[in-house]
């Protein structure tokens, strides 16, 4: 049974040949590129089911190729499986930060390759069921530097939705506030604990989910945070606890998005920004 075309981007010719053979046995029609530069245009022209992407390429890095694919609305729904000998935690986080759907380390078994492919394709099927025009997952370390890098990337993605610059500013500000909360309160500034950000374009809205690895919190009892009844009451509490000035994050973010909601545990927040009819059509 033929499943469609796939792309293998791998500079090691023998390994590329092996990957292509395995994919052929799985029912796919593989094409091999030994450099990263032509990959994005090939994907735009051929619409493959998914891409197997090496990181160590002779021209562009796999990170750059993946980011280019995920930033282009024409290719952002193409699942990307990074296949690499780099096994470090930081390398994996970087791969996931630029939008890869799976990180497969070499050497791998046929079962592991099957699992990676199925995981990536399941992601695309779920998006197609929901009617979303695109979704990217980012995993970043609990450091403000990485949050700012992510926000610059998101600002570029938001502009593809047809939102105005003011709306983009509001949404990136909301992401910054909630991302900072996830780093400071959820992960307690433990750099190696990841914050996961999911960006999704739906037909009439943009949905951002931010999740930390912390135990969550009781939203009804936040003495260090501002509240609508008495926005300044938290300041003395923060001084007593030795916390930085602020505490208006949730309060501020509610005014920047159309909907803000937490999961039951309190360690995942969803931000929703509605698109005007014209922007949604774009």
């Amino acid at each position: 049974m033929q499943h469609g075309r796939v792309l293998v981007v791998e500079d090691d010719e023998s390994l590329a040949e092996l990957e292509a053979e395995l994919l052929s046995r799985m029912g796919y029609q593989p094409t091999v590129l030994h450099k990263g530069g032509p990959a994005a245009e090939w994907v735009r022209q051929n619409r493959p089911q998914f891409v197997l992407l090496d990181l160590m390429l002779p021209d562009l890095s796999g990170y750059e190729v993946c980011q280019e694919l995920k930033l282009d609305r024409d290719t952002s729904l193409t699942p990307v499986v990074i296949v690499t000998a780099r096994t470090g935690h930081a390398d994996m986080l970087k791969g996931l930060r630029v939008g890869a759907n799976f990180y497969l380390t070499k050497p791998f078994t046929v079962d592991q390759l099957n699992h990676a492919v199925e995981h990536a394709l399941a992601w695309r099927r779920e998006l197609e069921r929901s009617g979303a025009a695109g979704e990217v997952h980012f995993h970043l370390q609990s450091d403000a530097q990485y949050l700012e890098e992510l926000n610059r990337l998101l600002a570029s993605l938001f502009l593809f939705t047809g939102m105005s610059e003011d709306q983009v500013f509001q949404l990136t500000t909301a992401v910054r506030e909630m991302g900072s909360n996830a780093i400071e309160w959820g992960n307690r500034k433990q750099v190696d604990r990841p914050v996961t950000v999911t960006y999704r374009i739906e037909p009439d809205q943009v949905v951002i989910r931010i999740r930390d690895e912390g135990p969550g919190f009781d939203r009804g009892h936040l003495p260090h945070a501002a509240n609508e009844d008495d926005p300044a009451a938290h300041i003395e509490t923060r001084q007593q606890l030795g916390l930085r000035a602020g505490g208006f994050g949730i309060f501020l973010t509610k005014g920047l998005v159309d909907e803000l909601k937490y999961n039951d545990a309190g360690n995942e927040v969803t931000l929703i920004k509605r698109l005007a009819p014209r922007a949604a059509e774009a």
Side-chain angles (χ1 to χ4, degrees), residues 62-180:
Y63 297 124
E64 293 173 290
V65 175
C66 185
Q67 182 165 298
E68 183 178 356
L69 291 171
K70 293 301 182 177
L71 279 176
D72 188 332
R73 242 182 126 173
D74 286 339
T75 57
S76 64
L77 281 179
T78 304
V80 176
V81 176
I82 285 180
V83 184
T84 179
R86 291 187 170 186
T87 60
H89 184 65
D91 294 314
M92 181 180 71
L93 283 177
K94 185 174 180 180
L96 296 173
R97 272 207 307 274
V98 296
N101 300 99
F102 201 90
Y103 194 93
L104 180 64
T105 57
K106 306 172 185 175
F108 54 84
T109 66
V110 174
D111 285 344
Q112 288 170 329
L113 176 61
N114 267 305
H115 174 70
V117 167
E118 181 51 37
H119 180 92
L121 292 177
W123 166 81
R124 181 165 183 165
R125 287 195 296 269
E126 197 277 327
L127 282 187
E128 290 171 343
R129 278 196 299 269
S130 70
E135 180 181 274
V136 186
H137 295 258
F138 302 92
H139 299 254
L140 57 149
Q141 291 174 290
S142 294
D143 187 298
Q145 171 191 342
Y146 299 117
L147 181 59
E148 287 307 311
E149 290 178 6
L150 171 66
N151 239 352
R152 285 193 290 272
L153 182 59
L154 287 177
S156 300
L157 288 170
F158 294 153
L159 289 172
F160 282 113
T161 66
M163 287 193 295
S164 69
E165 290 188 4
D166 283 346
Q167 290 174 314
V168 171
F169 174 77
Q170 291 169 357
L171 198 44
T172 53
T173 300
V175 171
R176 182 179 296 110
E177 288 294 329
M178 293 296 94
S180 296

Side-chain angles (χ1 to χ4, degrees), residues 1 13 25 48 57-58 60 82 112 146 163 201 233 249 253 255 269:
M1 178 180 175
E13 293 188 15
R25 293 180 184 181
L57 298 168
L60 301 178
I82 285 180
Q112 288 170 329
Y146 299 117
M163 287 193 295
I201 307 173
T253 302
V269 62

Side-chain angles (χ1 to χ4, degrees), residues 140-143 183-184 186-194:
L140 57 149
Q141 291 174 290
S142 294
D143 187 298
I183 290 171
E184 181 176 3
N187 288 346
R188 301 294 178 178
K189 297 183 178 179
Q190 297 178 47
V191 176
D192 289 337
R193 300 184 76 177

Side-chain angles (χ1 to χ4, degrees), residues 226-232 251:
N227 64 77
E228 295 182 17
D229 296 329
D230 189 353
F251 191 46

